[in-house]
Amino acid sequence: MMQFMLLFSRQGKLRLQKWYVAHPDKLKKKITRELITTVLARKPKMCSFLEWKDVKVVYKRYASLYFCCAMEQEDNELLTLELIHRYVELLDKYFGSVCELDIIFNFEKAYFILDELVLGGELQETSKKNVLKAIAAQDLLQEVSSQDNELV
Amino acid sequence: MAYPMYEVDWSVLPPEQNRRFNPAFNIATIKQVVNEAIERVRMQTPTRLRDLIRQIRAARTAAEERSVVNKECAYIRSTFREEDSVWRCRNIAKLLYIHMLGYPAHFGQLECLKLIASTRFTDKRVGYLGAMLLLDERQDVHLLITNCLKNDLNSNTQFVVGLALCTLGAIASPEMARDLASEVERLIKSPNAYIKKKAALCAFRIIRRVPDLMEMFLPATRSLLTEKNHGVLITGVTLITEMCENSPDTLNHFKKIVPNLVRILKNLILAGYSPEHDVSGVSDPFLQVKILRLLRILGKNDAEASEAMNDILAQVATNTETSKNVGNTILYETVLSIMDIKSESSLRVLAVNILGRFLLNNDKNIRYVALNTLLRTVHVDTSAVQRHRTTILECLKDPDVSIRRRAMELSFALINSQNIRAMMKELLSFLERSDAEFKAHCSSAMVLAAERHAPSSRWHLDTLFQVLLKAGNYLRDDTVSNTIQIVSSAPSERQAYAAMRLWTSLERSATAADATERQPLIQVAAWTIGEYGDMLVSEASNSISMVDDDGVDDFTRPSEEYVIDIYQKLLWSTQLSITTKEYLLLSLAKLSTRFTTQPSQDKIRVIIDTFGSHIHIELQQRGVELSQLYKQYAHLRPALLERMPAMETNVVREDNDEELATNTQTHEQPAHEQDALLDLIIGSEPLSNGDVEHQPQVTTNNNSNTNDILDLLSGLDLSSSTPVSVSNNNVSTAPSLLLDGLFSPAAATPQETVVKALDRGGVSVQLVVCGGDGSATLTMKASSHHHNTITDFLFQAAVPRTFRLDMMSPSGTVLTPQGEITQVLKITNPSKTPLRLRIRVSYTIDGNPILEQAEVNSFPPDLFN
């Protein structure tokens, strides 16, 4: 099971955080800070896995953005890389060649997509098409329900 | 009185709260009203999320960013106060962004709930997002959200149900899980795949939080595997996996689904290209991996189930395309399954070969998982893994810390008596250049391996010294005492060799001024030179070969005075720890009876005398005590500082450095001399670990316990014919420690009582109690009647406040069927009231965590007297 997922930039700025375990805010911040520093300190040629405290951190860099998942010991690390890649593909399809700015300005959309892919730390849908269909349908529902209230 | 007529009305309030008379209050009120009015006018056009993000990103300094955020937060707070429902959604979205930047946003929690309660989908979507980000399960608002969730789980819109399930899955607390489990169970049976898969994962989370709730989900779960939809299949497999790991009964219940799983997997492999689930030519790797993992759990220790999955595993292992990461993902999972179940031997060969290929792969990630998997399988099939030894040792030099760590652990698993020399050489050089985080673990593992497989005692000593040298201060405490023990029990020629070898290191550290980084080495060196210093400086040392493996002999025999100069240098150093200095000081005192020349004797005396005024109380006391041995009690000195007899190594148990029971020689002296000695020794503080056998100290007979022990021991004919004394400064605890070491389970002695503390669920816990004079020592002994091994055993105890409880580290956490775990508890009770003890025992058996509690009151009433 995934314990949490973090997206952060090369400068160490947090772009997205999704927690599937209950921690107090203070601890979350501490973990985030420490993990970002540790991952950023690793050289590009090193492997994508990091045994960190009691979790196994799997991370991958896409352009300027690091995608970083904390998994439990018995999870398949290579599969986690595929999961990260799947999420990136979905973001890419949704935004159309996604870049860091898309995720900054539409962070809520990035969360919505993640929530259609992963639930409670486990993968819920293996078809890209189904995820995008669900997101599109909800976006439509949102427009219908709130024409007078554009969110952003 | 300016306003007498108001006095009666307001007299119920204290004057400072009587705001009516405060003119300033009125002005403040007016100001506040005006400000709020201005705010309200501004509120007409709340900043858009996009604009806020722009503003924040435009800030050039942290202070500027903070001011933008603070302003916006103040504004958002005011809209919340206003109960502005039109813009609430936008304001929460902004707050979530601010929260991500690390600013506090808890004041938005209730507003999220209001959004969730709204009927508009936009509000709900953002509200649930906020709830997932801002609430965690500690919050009181959970009661409120449980109601919202209950409503939405019954909604007609599938996406509203979906949002509620997603939120429940992310933040379910045990209470929420209990309250909403039945709703989730109903939704698993929904015909809608979109809801079904989410409900299945919610059930998975609920069971994680509250395992008791599993039962109710069982009927709905089995049918999940008959679905076509991959989302439902994968979530179903995840749920079943969790259930199987949860209880052995459920595991048996699901054994019958093995054929279904095999069929699903077969279909995935054989079915042609399906664009929807294809990843680089592999059909739904996510689902394949989940199924493989469940098969592994079902096939473990079950020949029949294993038989049923042999073929499909072979098929997956041979047919999977390996040019891409995704293929290797599946192979990795397959290998794990093959190794875990009772698979055919040909299949195991295939799996090990796959790992061999992985080890040579260019991709670091693949190499990492190969090492990881080899580590997990090394206990099953060591010889297969041995074949890859050179590759594994090569990985010790990898620049990547993750790979190095795996390689190190694997190397230790591969050590045996045949390859120990070569392996240790590699590991020593690894230890030398490794990061601080590795050193502690690596050095203790090396000490253990050396102890287990040492080909010769000289090699063993050499290796230990190398470890001491290279691990520096990262060495665990017990290594020092273990090494000293090995030296002490070695033949005399070896002891001289040890003294010479350690002298070289000591001298080098002292002159290079890096002794502070190698304190354990200095401690062992000080002890050894103190004991065997006469051999170091004598002619006899010439006959001992000091040529090392590289053919170098770097030993030059020092003069007595030079040895003392080095000691002085170290003792004068400000950076060495007190413990190290204690070792050095006692060692120096010992040298006074080993060395013969007058100038060296004088030097020793001068150094010892200076410690009589040392700033640290413990060192000062030793200084004063030892100088007494030059004055009033000079005649005692040679006998007191005699060489230690060999320590018994077999009484020392691993991981239990507290109980270093030693067996030292008593100097047969008249009783009145012992009384005199008492003044020197009694009252010195308890020493830290490993210090106890520093000096043969004789405890005398004013303490009845000790006396009894002495009688008891001298009555028993121990292997050595010499009488025995207690070399422990902590007199009150000495009896049980000694006994503990000498007699294994429980010795029947007058002072000891065995109290049965717990006997439940096949695990019994006994307390061997022994006490007196305001303190007691309890030895906890846990044993098991189960056929299976118990892991994660943890014993906890609590005493009333007037007592003081010190718990030593346990002998282990794994309880084998015939095994035993012991743990020493020391209780101090100055008031001598009867002892009450509450204990809690937790452990895992067959994957189930068990917790037992009990209160123990049946201690002897006169325990502390």
Side-chain angles (χ1 to χ4, degrees):
Chain A
M1 193 192 103
M2 192 192 295
Q3 300 214 331
F4 57 86
M5 183 181 204
L6 302 176
L7 265 64
F8 52 89
S9 70
R10 266 168 72 189
Q11 289 75 37
K13 286 240 189 248
L14 188 63
R15 296 298 181 213
L16 207 75
Q17 54 171 340
K18 186 81 193 175
W19 295 81
Y20 297 105
V21 284
H23 286 317
D25 238 19
K26 219 166 147 189
L27 181 61
K28 284 186 192 169
K29 273 190 198 160
K30 185 165 169 274
I31 292 174
T32 311
R33 207 171 42 236
E34 285 179 20
L35 194 56
I36 291 179
T37 324
T38 319
V39 169
L40 287 178
R42 285 175 62 87
K43 303 204 170 56
K45 282 213 176 134
M46 292 184 171
C47 74
S48 301
F49 315 127
L50 190 64
E51 273 148 69
W52 193 76
K53 316 230 158 132
D54 56 341
V55 296
K56 196 144 46 181
V57 174
V58 180
Y59 69 92
K60 192 161 164 104
R61 196 180 127 184
Y62 286 86
S64 59
L65 212 52
Y66 281 87
F67 290 70
C68 176
C69 298
M71 308 301 288
E72 287 170 353
Q73 290 304 329
E74 56 279 13
D75 286 311
N76 186 323
E77 303 91 335
L78 298 177
L79 191 72
T80 309
L81 282 177
E82 290 297 324
L83 175 79
I84 292 176
H85 188 71
R86 172 58 58 93
Y87 182 43
V88 175
E89 280 179 325
L90 288 169
L91 290 171
D92 201 57
K93 276 254 167 61
Y94 184 82
F95 289 108
S97 13
V98 67
C99 69
E100 195 185 333
L101 280 179
D102 288 323
I103 294 174
I104 295 172
F105 281 100
N106 301 289
F107 70 92
E108 81 282 8
K109 301 280 187 208
Y111 276 121
F112 294 151
I113 295 172
L114 184 61
D115 283 342
E116 284 299 329
L117 181 68
V118 176
L119 194 155
E122 287 284 354
L123 190 75
Q124 57 167 311
E125 182 56 69
T126 63
S127 149
K128 276 183 268 186
K129 204 180 75 192
N130 283 355
V131 174
L132 292 170
K133 238 166 54 188
I135 293 289
Q138 290 177 71
D139 286 352
L140 193 70
L141 202 59
Q142 202 174 322
E143 273 168 40
V144 171
S145 78
S146 53
Q147 270 157 344
D148 57 339
N149 179 21
E150 219 228 321
L151 178 64
V152 283
Chain B
M1 283 294 167
Y3 306 98
M5 67 273 215
Y6 289 119
E7 218 180 333
V8 181
D9 299 356
W10 292 89
S11 58
V12 284
L13 288 175
E16 66 272 15
Q17 282 184 11
N18 195 342
R19 301 196 293 181
R20 185 125 185 207
F21 296 108
N22 185 352
F25 167 74
N26 289 326
I27 291 166
T29 322
I30 294 161
K31 267 191 184 159
Q32 196 184 338
V33 169
V34 171
N35 280 344
E36 278 175 6
I38 294 168
E39 287 278 292
R40 217 172 300 140
V41 173
R42 269 208 300 156
M43 225 176 274
Q44 296 303 315
T45 52
T47 332
R48 299 196 310 165
L49 172 61
R50 182 171 288 267
D51 296 332
L52 173 69
I53 296 176
R54 276 211 192 92
Q55 273 178 38
I56 290 175
R57 285 173 59 79
R60 268 159 303 163
T61 60
E64 213 174 300
E65 177 187 294
R66 215 174 308 128
S67 100
V68 175
V69 168
N70 286 343
K71 213 171 105 198
E72 190 63 32
C73 279
Y75 167 76
I76 293 174
R77 271 176 202 270
S78 73
T79 65
F80 289 166
R81 266 200 306 275
E82 291 290 310
E83 293 289 335
D84 172 7
S85 65
V86 181
W87 300 110
R88 189 180 281 140
C89 174
R90 176 181 287 186
N91 287 326
I92 284 290
K94 285 189 283 190
L95 191 60
L96 293 181
Y97 185 79
I98 289 169
H99 175 245
M100 184 145 58
L101 297 176
Y103 296 92
H106 51 273
F107 59 88
Q109 287 171 349
L110 271 175
E111 300 300 311
C112 289
L113 292 182
K114 288 179 192 159
L115 280 180
I116 293 171
S118 153
T119 47
R120 279 187 306 196
F121 187 70
T122 311
D123 285 354
K124 271 199 195 299
R125 213 178 179 193
V126 174
Y128 275 123
L129 178 64
M132 283 189 270
L133 288 170
L134 298 182
L135 308 186
D136 60 50
E137 63 182 42
R138 281 147 236 272
Q139 310 294 340
D140 314 327
V141 279
H142 261 198
L143 250 181
L144 297 171
I145 201 174
T146 306
N147 284 329
C148 297
L149 285 170
K150 202 163 202 157
N151 277 335
D152 285 345
L153 288 176
N154 286 306
S155 164
N156 292 324
T157 318
Q158 62 166 349
F159 295 116
V160 172
V161 182
L163 283 175
L165 284 171
C166 184
T167 309
L168 180 60
I171 61 169
S173 64
E175 295 76 37
M176 273 168 89
R178 281 205 182 84
D179 289 344
L180 297 171
S182 56
E183 303 288 332
V184 172
E185 195 266 346
R186 179 177 56 80
L187 291 172
I188 294 182
K189 292 185 278 196
S190 149
N192 182 337
Y194 180 81
I195 290 175
K196 215 178 179 65
K197 65 181 185 192
K198 284 179 193 274
L201 282 186
C202 259
F204 152 76
R205 282 304 299 246
I206 287 173
I207 295 172
R208 262 276 161 111
R209 297 316 317 253
V210 191
D212 303 347
L213 290 172
M214 180 176 72
E215 208 73 9
M216 63 185 293
F217 292 107
L218 278 173
T221 303
R222 258 205 87 181
S223 61
L224 291 173
L225 291 187
T226 56
E227 294 276 330
K228 287 273 178 293
N229 182 299
H230 284 209
V232 177
L233 281 177
I234 194 170
T235 52
V237 173
T238 306
L239 178 57
I240 294 172
T241 308
E242 179 67 24
M243 288 174 160
C244 289
E245 284 180 334
N246 201 349
S247 97
D249 287 344
T250 327
L251 181 68
N252 282 329
H253 171 79
F254 279 114
K255 293 263 174 175
K256 53 178 179 281
I257 64 161
V258 171
N260 303 34
L261 293 170
V262 169
R263 197 159 46 242
I264 297 170
L265 196 53
K266 196 170 256 167
N267 285 341
L268 277 176
I269 303 169
L270 298 179
Y273 174 76
S274 120
E276 201 177 336
H277 298 112
D278 181 83
V279 179
S280 336
V282 176
S283 180
D284 207 338
F286 299 102
L287 182 54
Q288 286 200 40
V289 166
K290 284 276 176 217
I291 293 177
L292 285 166
R293 182 166 165 206
L294 180 52
L295 284 178
R296 166 157 87 244
I297 293 166
L298 293 170
K300 197 168 187 174
N301 300 324
D302 184 334
E304 198 186 331
S306 300
E307 174 64 36
M309 56 186 83
N310 256 328
D311 284 352
I312 188 73
L313 290 177
Q315 219 166 347
V316 177
T318 43
N319 288 355
T320 305
E321 165 70 40
T322 60
S323 58
K324 295 259 170 51
N325 177 60
V326 45
N328 288 324
T329 307
I330 291 174
L331 277 185
Y332 170 40
E333 200 70 32
T334 313
V335 169
L336 286 177
S337 294
I338 291 174
M339 289 309 203
D340 256 20
I341 66 164
K342 291 187 175 304
S343 50
E344 288 166 3
S345 61
S346 62
L347 205 52
R348 281 172 185 264
V349 175
L350 184 66
V352 174
N353 286 343
I354 291 175
L355 290 179
R357 281 211 308 276
F358 274 11
L359 266 185
L360 300 171
N361 200 303
N362 278 333
D363 187 341
K364 279 236 158 66
N365 295 338
I366 307 286
R367 287 219 297 280
Y368 170 87
V369 297
L371 290 170
N372 207 0
T373 319
L374 286 171
L375 187 64
R376 285 171 68 166
T377 55
V378 69
H379 307 289
V380 186
D381 192 354
T382 321
S383 58
V385 185
Q386 287 285 6
R387 267 187 281 147
H388 303 293
R389 206 174 66 224
T390 34
T391 325
I392 292 161
L393 288 174
E394 212 43 49
C395 292
L396 282 176
K397 300 184 184 116
D398 202 287
D400 191 337
V401 59
S402 300
I403 290 188
R404 281 206 304 274
R405 184 193 301 272
R406 282 280 149 251
M408 177 183 86
E409 283 172 13
L410 196 49
S411 303
F412 282 120
L414 288 179
I415 291 179
N416 58 30
S417 335
Q418 278 83 53
N419 61 23
I420 178 118
R421 283 174 192 267
M423 294 291 280
M424 279 304 206
K425 213 166 172 183
E426 291 287 342
L427 285 166
L428 273 171
S429 66
F430 171 72
L431 178 64
E432 191 169 17
R433 45 168 210 266
S434 64
D435 306 332
E437 54 176 322
F438 287 117
K439 282 198 162 138
H441 179 66
C442 184
S443 55
S444 18
M446 289 180 80
V447 170
L448 277 181
E451 195 176 315
R452 200 168 303 150
H453 303 294
S456 73
S457 69
R458 173 166 169 172
W459 179 90
H460 190 183
L461 277 182
D462 275 337
T463 308
L464 284 178
F465 297 158
Q466 288 288 324
V467 173
L468 281 167
L469 195 65
K470 284 170 178 161
N473 290 347
Y474 297 102
L475 212 63
R476 273 173 34 161
D477 285 355
D478 55 341
T479 314
V480 172
S481 41
N482 284 351
T483 313
I484 287 176
Q485 216 152 14
I486 290 163
V487 173
S488 130
S489 52
S492 110
E493 193 188 326
R494 193 73 66 222
Q495 289 169 337
Y497 170 78
M500 289 155 71
R501 196 41 96 213
L502 287 166
W503 161 253
T504 317
S505 309
L506 183 77
E507 187 209 358
R508 209 170 285 161
S509 290
T511 45
D514 60 359
T516 36
E517 267 104 70
R518 306 205 159 79
Q519 307 220 26
L521 175 75
I522 306 296
Q523 290 169 10
V524 175
W527 186 89
T528 312
I529 295 168
E531 291 298 320
Y532 315 111
D534 46 341
M535 301 199 254
L536 175 70
V537 294
S538 77
E539 300 269 336
S541 70
N542 291 344
S543 63
I544 295 170
S545 161
M546 291 301 288
V547 181
D548 61 15
D549 288 350
D550 303 326
V552 184
D553 180 359
D554 51 3
F555 176 75
T556 35
R557 181 151 58 92
S559 70
E560 293 183 0
E561 278 151 83
Y562 183 56
V563 173
I564 292 157
D565 284 343
I566 292 291
Y567 265 69
Q568 183 172 20
K569 191 167 177 175
L570 290 168
L571 279 167
W572 267 209
S573 145
T574 47
Q575 320 227 285
L576 285 181
S577 75
I578 296 299
T579 311
T580 309
K581 286 194 180 172
E582 285 166 4
Y583 272 89
L584 284 164
L585 191 58
L586 282 163
S587 169
L588 191 65
K590 286 214 157 189
L591 284 180
S592 73
T593 62
R594 310 284 188 269
F595 288 177
T596 45
T597 64
Q598 197 50 48
S600 62
Q601 293 290 345
D602 294 341
K603 271 189 171 177
I604 292 177
R605 193 173 171 173
V606 169
I607 298 174
I608 288 178
D609 283 345
T610 53
F611 272 88
S613 58
H614 195 274
I615 190 159
H616 189 269
I617 188 75
E618 173 67 24
L619 280 174
Q620 185 184 41
Q621 184 167 356
R622 286 183 188 218
V624 172
E625 286 167 358
L626 293 170
S627 354
Q628 284 299 309
L629 293 179
Y630 276 94
K631 296 172 190 157
Q632 221 174 328
Y633 303 103
H635 58 291
L636 290 179
R637 188 155 53 91
L640 253 184
L641 299 176
E642 221 170 63
R643 191 173 288 170
M644 295 268 294
M647 301 175 199
E648 275 183 14
T649 43
N650 57 347
V651 297
V652 175
R653 279 161 294 181
E654 284 173 17
D655 302 320
N656 205 348
D657 44 18
E658 298 292 334
E659 297 177 64
L660 199 68
T662 55
N663 179 5
T664 54
Q665 190 177 357
T666 299
H667 309 284
E668 291 176 33
Q669 287 160 345
H672 69 271
E673 284 194 1
Q674 292 195 356
D675 281 335
L677 266 172
L678 186 71
D679 297 330
L680 285 176
I681 290 149
I682 294 285
S684 76
E685 287 174 350
L687 299 176
S688 57
N689 299 339
D691 279 6
V692 281
E693 58 292 322
H694 234 275
Q695 189 184 19
Q697 292 170 339
V698 186
T699 4
T700 45
N701 46 3
N702 71 336
N703 181 306
S704 63
N705 273 344
T706 318
N707 198 19
D708 288 347
I709 288 302
L710 286 172
D711 287 349
L712 189 77
L713 291 177
S714 55
L716 283 158
D717 189 20
L718 291 168
S719 52
S720 60
S721 59
T722 50
V724 175
S725 83
V726 180
S727 79
N728 194 315
N729 307 45
N730 201 340
V731 174
S732 63
T733 62
S736 91
L737 290 187
L738 258 164
L739 287 171
D740 215 33
L742 290 170
F743 313 111
S744 7
T749 66
Q751 304 96 331
E752 284 198 346
T753 326
V754 179
V755 177
K756 196 161 242 178
L758 182 82
D759 193 355
R760 234 177 277 159
V763 171
S764 71
V765 175
Q766 288 186 334
L767 295 167
V768 182
V769 188
C770 148
D773 203 21
S775 69
T777 305
L778 274 58
T779 311
M780 185 280 296
K781 292 170 189 287
S783 55
S784 135
H785 320 306
H786 283 286
H787 296 300
N788 297 339
T789 302
I790 287 173
T791 54
D792 305 327
F793 185 91
L794 178 68
F795 175 82
Q796 292 166 295
V799 289
R801 232 169 245 176
T802 49
F803 296 75
R804 202 188 111 108
L805 173 67
D806 290 305
M807 292 183 75
M808 305 301 131
S809 51
S811 60
T813 58
V814 177
L815 191 52
T816 51
Q818 274 81 40
E820 187 180 67
I821 293 178
T822 56
Q823 186 168 13
V824 176
L825 292 79
K826 291 179 186 164
I827 296 177
T828 353
N829 173 22
S831 62
K832 300 186 181 175
T833 46
L835 172 62
R836 284 187 305 136
L837 189 69
R838 194 164 287 169
I839 63 166
R840 175 192 282 186
V841 173
S842 64
Y843 54 89
T844 312
I845 181 154
D846 299 327
N848 298 328
I850 309 273
L851 183 75
E852 301 280 9
Q853 297 193 51
E855 187 158 332
V856 191
N857 295 326
S858 51
F859 292 105
D862 56 344
L863 179 62
F864 292 103
N865 293 319

